[in-house]
Amino acid sequence: MRYIQSAAFLLLTVSGSMSLRSQAAMAVEAPREPQANLQALLAGAQGEPSAALRASVRASSPQAKSLAPVAIASGAPPRFADTSPWQTQPATQHSAETIPLLSQAQKQDQDSDGNTLPTLDSPAPTEPAPTEPAPTEPNPTEPDPTQETPEAPEAPALMETPPETPTLPTAEPEIGDLPDILFADPNPLSFPTSPEEVELDQTREITLEQAIELAYRNSPSLQSALLTLEQAQAVLDEANAARLPTVSLNADLTNSQSGNSFAGSGDTTTLGGDLQVSYNLLTGGSRAASIRAAELQQQVSALDVENQQAQIRLDTANAYYALQEAGEQIRINQSFVNEAERNLRDTTLRQEVGVGTRFDVLRAEVQFANARQSLIQSQGNQRIARRDIARLLNLPPTAGIETTPVAVADNWPLTLEESIVLAFQNRAELEQQLLQADISEQQRQIALAPLRPQVSLFANYGVQQTLSGGSAFADDFQDSSSIGAQFSLTLYEGGAARARARQQEIVGAIAEEGFSEILDQVRFGVEQAFFNLQTNQENIATSRVAVAQAQEALELANLRLQAGVGTQLEVLTAQSELTQAEVNNVTAILNYNRALAAIERAVNITDAAP
């Protein structure tokens, strides 16, 4: 009896879908107008769309997904005014494009360990539809019993109101609004000693600029660079001390015993002291060269701090974008899981009513399993990315951060040639190489100083007081003073000084050669970042069109399948292509942002754009 019912149902399906074949063919040839094609297909089945067909179209519509649409700045008109999760607004000169975020339900799935996700054992959350179809309805897929069937044919399911758009913050929080829980412990030697002290219990959403500010405040490498700068200042103070004379004070207390056969023995106690002043008048150029070398080394240390800040800015931006990408991967994979689950449910229902095959169900189950595995993997990648940026920002053990929605960064205002020249002017590494060459020259002067005349001045004043003993005829208090100059000149020392000078001369030549090499590296870095910026800017526009086309293709594939002129393979392929298109769009946006951060690093920008 079941086979007779299935055969009768197939005959009704074929006779009812004959008028749909020509309309479906027209829809395949003209994919640019999805709304008109879908409405024509809906109206082609004997003039009135069936309830099952409207319900199946609603189920296959992208609105059935749990994506939360967010406004996107775009100059082109939207392809889907009502069905696409990508909405458009008039573009401005520096408009920001925001990518759809996870809904609240998806965030819960994202934070869980995967237990709340649907499994292969229970793919269909609703009860199976009755197997007895209506004689006038050729659609093999029954609607959801809990869903209300629309009565008016002029209001198809594709025109229903899209989900609510989440409210975005009107303004970014200020840098000063960062909570104290994100600041590192001022004691670098402290560390947790219990599991409770490393348990994550506080997560805050911060912007990229706030993350960079946190990195500046918390970074141990930047603190080390600042300490090195202080050390260089101390070295300079030491070198400047040679400009002043040296004053020393000495004192001594002496007890002596003496005896002979005539005067007998006696003890004598004396207290003495002297004051010495010395000054190196001529040092052969060693003093001036040492002071100049210390000044140059201080400038090198200051450039190290600037270079460290620029690198921290780049590393923080890349880690921030990596966390954003991990979140977007979860959103896309969650959408794919939802679509694969819906497809598996529909395929199972088709098999139950006798119009589907076990092969189609197996393919849908494999797709759902692969989608769920990708979602679990992306959740793990997000946890890793979150801890990686926490390590980079040196956050407290119990603190974590969340990123803002993905948005396209501002345009780079300079041309390639202007960027190259700006990098040559700003890069700290180039100036450091020049300073190293100057330092080598000063070290060469210091090495040659022993071969030059050395003149020093000195003065001395000493006193001595006899406290006990001594001769009765001698004076108990004595003083003395002296003043003079000392001249020295090394006539021969085997050529050691000139050899040391030659070493420093070679070091200076090496620094000059390094300057040329770094110059080429800086130019290549600017050109590479600039070309990546242009490439990804074009990829953003291309991927945006691809997402719209993939959404349209999925709608048509679902409709063709419901009309009996398509295959399950077309739906599976369209779902995979839509997922890949969304991944490509997010990748293009984040790669553009990474390229912008790279070119800012290449021209040594640490605070604001030029």
Side-chain angles (χ1 to χ4, degrees):
M1 184 63 182
R2 177 180 178 87
Y3 293 103
I4 296 176
Q5 292 179 352
S6 300
F9 181 76
L10 287 176
L11 291 175
L12 291 174
T13 302
V14 172
S15 61
S17 61
M18 290 297 294
S19 61
L20 291 176
R21 293 182 180 273
S22 59
Q23 298 294 340
M26 293 175 60
V28 175
E29 294 175 358
R32 294 296 181 181
E33 299 178 2
Q35 294 290 347
N37 292 333
L38 293 178
Q39 292 177 6
L41 286 174
L42 289 173
Q46 299 178 359
E48 293 292 335
S50 65
L53 184 58
R54 289 196 300 268
S56 62
V57 171
R58 180 183 292 108
S60 63
S61 173
Q63 296 172 0
K65 304 177 183 179
S66 57
L67 293 176
V70 181
I72 297 180
S74 173
R79 290 185 177 272
F80 306 100
D82 300 308
T83 62
S84 174
W86 303 82
Q87 299 178 353
T88 58
Q89 294 178 352
T92 57
Q93 183 177 0
H94 298 291
S95 60
E97 178 172 354
T98 307
I99 305 302
L101 305 175
L102 281 174
S103 63
Q104 186 65 26
Q106 292 170 348
K107 289 183 178 179
Q108 294 175 359
D109 292 338
Q110 168 187 335
D111 296 336
S112 65
D113 295 332
N115 298 326
T116 59
L117 296 174
T119 60
L120 293 176
D121 297 334
S122 57
T126 59
E127 298 180 359
T131 58
E132 188 68 22
T136 59
E137 309 225 348
N139 184 14
T141 303
E142 293 294 331
D144 191 347
T146 60
Q147 184 175 1
E148 183 178 356
T149 303
E151 298 179 358
E154 61 273 11
L158 290 176
M159 301 301 292
E160 61 185 354
T161 305
E164 274 189 18
T165 302
T167 304
L168 296 179
T170 57
E172 295 181 353
E174 298 294 336
I175 297 297
D177 294 340
L178 289 173
D180 294 339
I181 61 172
L182 298 180
F183 296 152
D185 192 334
N187 181 13
L189 301 181
S190 63
F191 61 93
T193 57
S194 63
E196 292 77 11
E197 295 179 350
V198 295
E199 182 179 0
L200 297 178
D201 57 358
Q202 301 181 50
T203 302
R204 299 297 178 92
E205 180 180 291
I206 62 176
T207 64
L208 175 59
E209 292 302 324
Q210 288 178 322
I212 294 174
E213 179 67 18
L214 265 180
Y216 287 164
R217 294 186 182 183
N218 296 346
S219 175
S221 58
L222 183 58
Q223 296 300 322
S224 298
L226 292 174
L227 292 176
T228 303
L229 179 59
E230 294 182 8
Q231 183 183 20
Q233 179 61 43
V235 173
L236 177 59
D237 294 340
E238 178 185 3
N240 283 323
R243 299 178 183 270
L244 302 176
T246 301
V247 180
S248 61
L249 177 64
N250 300 320
D252 61 88
L253 178 64
T254 307
N255 179 267
S256 61
Q257 296 181 358
S258 63
N260 53 53
S261 58
F262 300 99
S265 60
D267 295 338
T268 303
T269 302
T270 59
L271 176 64
D274 62 81
L275 179 65
Q276 297 179 356
V277 179
S278 61
Y279 178 70
N280 295 325
L281 183 61
L282 296 178
T283 61
S286 175
R287 177 173 52 200
S290 298
I291 294 175
R292 181 56 182 164
E295 292 175 349
L296 295 174
Q297 187 60 47
Q298 185 187 29
Q299 296 179 23
V300 171
S301 299
L303 291 174
D304 279 336
V305 174
E306 179 182 342
N307 192 29
Q308 192 69 32
Q309 285 181 332
Q311 189 62 39
I312 288 175
R313 182 184 181 91
L314 175 63
D315 295 341
T316 303
N318 288 333
Y320 192 89
Y321 293 143
L323 183 56
Q324 282 186 330
E325 185 173 16
E328 286 300 303
Q329 289 290 344
I330 291 178
R331 178 190 65 81
I332 295 172
N333 289 329
Q334 179 65 63
S335 175
F336 190 29
V337 166
N338 295 339
E339 186 67 21
E341 179 188 7
R342 184 204 60 78
N343 183 51
L344 176 58
R345 182 172 60 250
D346 293 346
T347 306
T348 304
L349 292 176
R350 292 190 188 96
Q351 184 189 22
E352 290 177 355
V353 299
V355 296
T357 63
R358 177 60 180 168
F359 178 73
D360 292 338
V361 175
L362 290 176
R363 291 183 64 92
E365 288 178 347
V366 171
Q367 185 192 47
F368 175 73
N370 292 337
R372 187 172 183 272
Q373 183 176 1
S374 299
L375 176 60
I376 295 174
Q377 183 63 44
S378 60
Q379 290 173 345
N381 293 339
Q382 187 191 48
R383 299 186 188 101
I384 295 175
R386 182 176 290 114
R387 295 316 304 163
D388 183 43
I389 193 173
R391 172 197 59 82
L392 183 62
L393 300 182
N394 194 26
L395 298 179
T398 60
I401 67 168
E402 292 286 350
T403 63
T404 56
V406 176
V408 180
D410 294 336
N411 293 329
W412 181 248
L414 304 180
T415 64
L416 177 60
E417 293 75 15
E418 293 173 343
S419 302
I420 293 174
V421 173
L422 183 62
F424 289 163
Q425 296 174 351
N426 291 352
R427 285 299 288 265
E429 296 92 331
L430 295 174
E431 190 172 354
Q432 282 179 326
Q433 290 299 117
L434 297 178
L435 292 176
Q436 289 293 345
D438 293 341
I439 291 175
S440 299
E441 175 61 24
Q442 301 304 320
Q443 294 294 337
R444 190 181 75 86
Q445 297 297 330
I446 295 174
L448 293 175
L451 302 180
R452 297 165 182 163
Q454 310 285 328
V455 177
S456 60
L457 304 177
F458 64 90
N460 181 37
Y461 177 75
V463 295
Q464 183 175 356
Q465 175 69 43
T466 302
L467 301 180
S468 63
S471 174
F473 302 98
D475 189 3
D476 293 340
F477 178 79
Q478 297 178 358
D479 63 337
S480 62
S481 62
S482 61
I483 187 172
Q486 184 178 2
F487 172 84
S488 65
L489 177 63
T490 301
L491 299 179
Y492 180 75
E493 37 77 54
R498 299 187 188 280
R500 290 192 296 269
R502 178 57 181 165
Q503 294 175 20
Q504 297 300 325
E505 186 176 348
I506 294 175
V507 171
I510 293 175
E512 292 177 355
E513 293 296 331
F515 178 86
S516 177
E517 181 180 1
I518 294 177
L519 196 69
D520 295 336
Q521 293 176 355
V522 167
R523 172 164 186 162
F524 175 73
V526 173
E527 291 173 338
Q528 184 182 33
F530 191 87
F531 295 147
N532 286 336
L533 201 66
Q534 288 183 328
T535 300
N536 289 287
Q537 190 173 18
E538 296 177 1
N539 286 340
I540 291 175
T542 303
S543 61
R544 185 183 303 158
V545 174
V547 168
Q549 292 174 343
Q551 290 173 343
E552 181 179 351
L554 179 59
E555 293 174 357
L556 294 177
N558 280 307
L559 189 58
R560 284 168 54 85
L561 180 63
Q562 305 301 332
V565 295
T567 63
Q568 184 69 20
L569 180 60
E570 293 180 356
V571 176
L572 298 178
T573 303
Q575 290 173 350
S576 300
E577 291 176 349
L578 175 59
T579 301
Q580 186 60 44
E582 291 180 343
V583 170
N584 292 341
N585 183 253
V586 171
T587 301
I589 293 176
L590 292 177
N591 284 344
Y592 175 86
N593 295 347
R594 292 187 180 101
L596 182 62
I599 198 171
E600 288 178 350
R601 171 65 182 95
V603 300
N604 209 42
I605 293 178
T606 57
D607 293 325

